[in-house]
């Protein structure tokens, strides 16, 4: 489950919109920059041309990545989410057992995660630790980005 790409319907739509923009507007802009840079003369010593070609390569890489996410990603449908265990698409209410704080996280694919808004990836340390767990389960999570600190969480509720 953790290596699959999960997308909400909104995330899928946002990726489609981004792809449309990159394939039309952005490709045209980069193509024009390459054309203008060619007019500067000798391409072997033309930094503007090199920069435009590099931008084109990055653009094509991003297009390819988005196309793959759209092609192979699994769209999360709230209606079919199994809330008996934590899955991608679930919102999980948790209790920090060390600080007695309660908070919620929505588990999504890495493409859409935004921890500052309580939206975490199924590939994050907390997301991985929660997947497959049930209400009332307790989990210990090692946080590698925080000197391998450990947090202890209890799952209070799971909802779609």
């Amino acid at each position: 489950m953790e290596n699959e790409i999960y997308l909400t319907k909104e995330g899928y739509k946002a990726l489609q919109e981004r792809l449309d923009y990159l394939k039309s507007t952005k490709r045209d802009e980069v193509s024009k920059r390459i054309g203008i840079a060619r007019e500067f003369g000798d391409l072997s010593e033309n930094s503007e041309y090199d920069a435009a070609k590099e931008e084109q390569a990055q653009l094509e890489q991003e297009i390819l990545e988005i196309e793959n996410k759209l092609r192979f990603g699994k769209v999360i449908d709230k209606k079919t989410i199994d809330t008996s265990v934590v899955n991608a698409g679930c919102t999980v209410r948790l209790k920090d057992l060390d600080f007695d704080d309660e908070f919620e996280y929505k588990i999504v694919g890495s493409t859409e995660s935004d921890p500052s808004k309580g939206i975490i990836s199924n590939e994050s340390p907390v997301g991985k630790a929660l997947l497959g767990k049930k209400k009332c389960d307790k989990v210990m999570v090692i946080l590698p980005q925080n000197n391998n600190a450990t947090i202890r969480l209890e799952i209070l509720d799971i909802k779609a």
Side-chain angles (χ1 to χ4, degrees), residues 124-157:
S124 70
V126 173
K128 281 182 184 179
L130 293 173
L131 291 177
K133 300 294 190 273
K134 298 177 182 178
K135 185 176 176 179
C136 298
D137 281 355
K138 294 176 181 158
V139 296
M140 287 185 56
V141 183
I142 297 172
L143 303 173
Q145 76 279 12
N146 195 13
N147 293 325
N148 290 327
T150 302
I151 57 173
R152 298 179 315 129
L153 303 172
E154 180 180 1
I155 300 172
L156 301 176
D157 194 22

Side-chain angles (χ1 to χ4, degrees), residues 3-159:
N3 291 327
E4 292 181 301
I5 299 168
Y6 290 96
L7 301 166
T8 62
K9 288 180 182 180
E10 299 82 13
Y12 188 89
K13 183 180 178 197
L15 281 176
Q16 283 181 316
E17 290 171 358
R18 175 75 178 156
L19 183 61
D20 291 343
Y21 166 76
L22 293 176
K23 283 183 156 184
S24 57
T25 307
K26 192 68 175 175
R27 260 189 184 157
D28 288 344
E29 290 172 3
V30 172
S31 180
K32 287 176 186 171
R33 266 191 283 255
I34 290 171
I36 292 168
R38 276 193 184 126
E39 294 174 4
F40 291 145
D42 184 7
L43 298 182
S44 66
E45 297 180 14
N46 187 331
S47 62
E48 289 86 1
Y49 179 78
D50 291 341
K53 290 298 281 183
E54 177 63 27
E55 184 179 3
Q56 181 185 43
Q58 291 173 352
L59 170 67
E60 294 304 323
Q61 180 63 35
E62 184 177 356
I63 288 171
L64 182 63
E65 287 173 10
I66 292 173
E67 286 175 338
N68 283 332
K69 286 177 184 175
L70 291 173
R71 185 176 302 119
F72 300 112
K74 295 186 179 191
V75 178
I76 301 166
D77 184 357
K78 277 189 162 187
K79 297 173 192 162
T80 61
I81 293 174
D82 175 8
T83 57
S84 65
V85 296
V86 178
N87 291 290
C90 290
T91 298
V92 184
R93 191 162 50 93
L94 301 165
K95 180 176 185 175
D96 183 319
L97 296 173
D98 296 317
F99 294 100
D100 205 32
D101 291 334
E102 289 186 19
F103 49 92
E104 280 190 350
Y105 283 137
K106 181 173 183 177
I107 312 291
V108 298
S110 60
T111 302
E112 298 178 70
S113 70
D114 186 350
S116 66
K117 295 181 180 175
I119 303 170
I120 63 170
S121 167
N122 61 312
E123 298 175 20
S124 70
V126 173
K128 281 182 184 179
L130 293 173
L131 291 177
K133 300 294 190 273
K134 298 177 182 178
K135 185 176 176 179
C136 298
D137 281 355
K138 294 176 181 158
V139 296
M140 287 185 56
V141 183
I142 297 172
L143 303 173
Q145 76 279 12
N146 195 13
N147 293 325
N148 290 327
T150 302
I151 57 173
R152 298 179 315 129
L153 303 172
E154 180 180 1
I155 300 172
L156 301 176
D157 194 22
I158 303 168
K159 57 188 176 186

